[in-house]
C-alpha cells in the first residue's frame, strides 16, 4: 500500500510498504546508477542533516544544542550494549556493520574488545576498520530501506560473508 506521497524535504515521492514485512521504499525505484550517484555525491548527507536525539525519559536534544555530541555518543553506547547482549558477543568476536556511517558504533564495540569493521556506500565501498579474522555477526541499522532489492542483497551480497554468523 501507498504510505506517503512526499519525502521529508517536501518533494513528490511515492512510498510504498511491503505487505509481508512492512519495509518502506520509494516507487518507482531509482536506477542503480542514480542510487550510486546519490550516496557517493554527498547529496544524501546534505539532505539528511543530523536529527534530534530522543531518550526514553522524554528528553530531546537538538543538533544545535549543547550536549548533542554526548547524546549521539550515548545512543551509540546503548546500541553497542544491545548488539553485544542480543547477539551474545564476547571479547575477541568479529562483527561487520553495513551502513556504519562514520563508524561510531564500531568504535563503541571496539572499546569492549569486539573486532568490528564496517561499510557504508556513502563513503564508497571501502572497509572502515580492519576485517575481523572470524565473523560472528553482521548488523545494519536503518539499512534495508536504502537497498534496491533487500532480499537479493541479503541472500547474495551479505550471505557471502556469513558462515555461522548471526545476521
Amino acid at each position: 500500500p501507498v504510505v506517503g506521497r512526499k519525502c521529508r524535504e517536501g518533494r513528490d515521492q511515492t512510498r510504498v510498504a511491503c505487505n509481508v514485512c512492512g519495509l518502506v521504499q520509494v516507487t518507482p525505484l531509482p536506477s542503480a546508477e542514480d542510487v550510486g550517484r546519490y550516496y557517493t555525491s554527498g547529496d544524501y548527507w546534505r539532505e539528511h542533516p543530523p536529527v534530534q536525539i530522543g531518550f526514553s525519559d522524554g528528553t530531546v536534544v537538538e543538533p544545535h544544542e549543547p550536549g548533542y555530541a554526548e547524546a549521539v555518543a550515548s545512543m551509540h553506547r546503548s546500541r553497542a550494549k544491545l548488539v553485544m547482549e542480543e547477539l551474545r558477543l564476547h571479547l575477541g568476536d568479529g562483527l561487520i556493520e553495513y551502513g556504519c556511517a562514520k563508524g561510531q558504533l564500531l568504535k563503541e564495540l571496539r572499546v569492549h574488545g569486539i573486532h568490528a569493521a564496517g561499510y557504508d556506500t556513502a563513503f564508497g565501498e571501502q572497509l572502515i576498520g580492519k576485517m575481523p579474522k572470524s565473523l560472528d555477526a553482521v548488523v545494519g541499522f536503518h539499512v534495508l530501506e536504502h537497498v534496491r532489492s533487500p532480499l537479493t542483497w541479503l541472500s547474495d551480497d551479505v550471505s557471502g560473508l556469513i558462515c555461522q554468523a548471526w545476521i
Side-chain angles (χ1 to χ4, degrees), residues 55-124:
F55 294 93
S56 58
D57 67 359
T59 307
V60 174
V61 181
E62 299 287 343
H64 63 276
E65 294 178 337
Y68 183 75
E70 178 51 37
V72 171
S74 175
M75 178 188 69
H76 289 291
R77 281 192 297 275
S78 296
R79 190 172 282 173
K81 182 179 177 186
L82 173 74
V83 166
M84 291 184 304
E85 289 174 359
E86 293 296 320
L87 300 181
R88 297 184 287 269
L89 295 176
H90 304 286
L91 182 69
D93 284 347
L95 174 140
I96 294 285
E97 180 188 11
Y98 277 94
C100 66
K102 297 175 183 171
Q104 300 97 320
L105 176 62
L106 302 175
K107 291 175 191 167
E108 288 297 329
L109 290 166
R110 288 183 198 131
V111 166
H112 297 282
I114 306 300
H115 299 286
Y119 290 96
D120 197 306
T121 57
F123 300 104

Side-chain angles (χ1 to χ4, degrees), residues 15-92:
R15 292 170 301 177
V16 295
C18 173
N19 286 326
V20 176
C21 69
L23 179 71
V24 176
Q25 285 192 309
V26 298
T27 186
L29 287 172
S31 70
E33 293 79 22
D34 286 342
V35 169
R37 274 192 301 276
Y38 178 68
Y39 287 112
T40 58
S41 70
D43 288 345
Y44 176 77
W45 295 107
R46 277 191 292 282
E47 293 180 12
H48 296 84
V51 296
Q52 66 182 16
I53 304 287
F55 294 93
S56 58
D57 67 359
T59 307
V60 174
V61 181
E62 299 287 343
H64 63 276
E65 294 178 337
Y68 183 75
E70 178 51 37
V72 171
S74 175
M75 178 188 69
H76 289 291
R77 281 192 297 275
S78 296
R79 190 172 282 173
K81 182 179 177 186
L82 173 74
V83 166
M84 291 184 304
E85 289 174 359
E86 293 296 320
L87 300 181
R88 297 184 287 269
L89 295 176
H90 304 286
L91 182 69

Side-chain angles (χ1 to χ4, degrees), residues 113-160:
I114 306 300
H115 299 286
Y119 290 96
D120 197 306
T121 57
F123 300 104
E125 284 295 327
Q126 68 188 33
L127 180 69
I128 297 173
K130 185 178 176 186
M131 183 67 128
K133 287 186 171 79
S134 70
L135 187 58
D136 301 288
V138 177
V139 298
F141 293 91
H142 303 285
V143 171
L144 290 180
E145 65 268 28
H146 299 275
V147 176
R148 184 172 178 76
S149 177
L151 289 176
T152 301
W153 181 74
L154 286 169
S155 63
D156 295 347
D157 296 349
V158 176
S159 67

